[in-house]
Amino acid sequence: MPRSQTALELCASKQWPSNNDVAQRFETLPHPGLASDKRYQEVMCSLGFGVEFTDYMARASWNESAGWHDFKIEPYGPLSLDPAGAVLHYGQEVFEGLKAYRHADGSIWTFRPAYNAARLNVSNERLMIPQFPVEDFLGSLVGLVRADRRWVPQAAGATLYMRPFIFASEAFLGVRAAKRFEYGVVASPSGPYFTHGFKPINVWVERTHHRAGPGGMGDVKTGGNYAASFYAKSHAFERGFDEVLFLDAATNSRIDELGAMNVFVVMADGTVRTPALSGTILPGSTRSAILQLLDDEGVTTREETIELDELWMGIKTGDVAEMFACGTAAAVVSIGSLTMGEERVELSDSTVAHRIYQELTDIQFGRISDRFGWMYRLA
Ligand SMILES: *Cc1c(COP(=O)(O)O)cnc(C)c1O
């Protein structure tokens, strides 16, 4: 039986206006100093992740009388913020992350942007930030990518990573939701996540710290969840691990998320499982797409509670064949080992992770047909 669609999936699959219909929503300002050809070549020849930024950024502001206004594509540069600006003190902010992909014919596309727009609004609601219209979200991406077209890489596997965000800018230290907000989108040309092939990662199972708890903000994309995860992550990095597997805060016994990625478990019988969206797990667009791809292939998928003890035993006995994590930045990452205290278990298979990675990125880069209607043309 096919899964029922989540609210985000339903929003993602609606008919939204095309790129040309939203392109004029943001006014593109003249740029006094575009990056030189030399600088452009330097950046594009050594692509990292999130280090270099493009010529432009998208911007808008919100206040009580005007609502969202001042939609601009303007030269990239520092924002000015009052030192009493609420985001600096109370962390009232949300963000999104998605990529622009250049296809072989030069056209530029993004993946399910209305999913991200809908998720931004779920985050907005939780953080007491005004709703940002989906059409304006689309317009900001189209406007920015058209202005920054040359920054969408040609190199295989490389993309333009786009980071929409909203933060509270009101200068006020009273403890309540702010009344002024800023929207922005910055973009960073990024290399392929895997520079040395599809390498499985080593994971630390974190039993002391949690990134989110019941009734908290784990299911929305806000900076505070990341700030809460850095302590465990930094300590795991110091000990040579690549990522941290977080457990649920209520029982400390169930697997939640892998750093800022959703996690999947492939059983030896072919069933694929992922933790259910329990309220502490971010509903990833990649997670959703993978569930749909697997369903479409006739693979049995289950969204359910996954107990760490059972998982651990399953890896030892061979009932668990494979584990992988997913998110926009990396697409799919295979997990090679889990370490809990002094104990370590290894996973040697990455067949499903590999197949899913290939299929997803083939759709994103336009190498195979977009049979789910996931791609949205930007330029
Ligand atoms: C963004 C994010 C993900 C992945 O979501 P995608 O939409 O697939 O990029 C997973 N977990 C957390 C905590 C996140 O912030």
Side-chain angles (χ1 to χ4, degrees), residues 234-261:
S234 301
H235 283 83
F237 282 165
E238 276 169 21
R239 278 174 268 145
F241 296 96
D242 303 302
E243 267 298 348
V244 168
L245 180 62
F246 286 106
L247 305 177
D248 78 298
T251 70
N252 210 33
S253 72
R254 302 162 171 177
I255 66 167
D256 244 4
E257 286 203 70
L258 193 91
M261 287 183 278

Side-chain angles (χ1 to χ4, degrees), residues 119 211 221 226 257 260-262 282 284-286 326-328:
R119 188 169 69 187
R211 59 173 286 281
K221 223 167 168 70
Y226 281 69
E257 286 203 70
M261 287 183 278
N262 295 118
L282 199 281
S285 167
T286 320
C326 68
T328 296

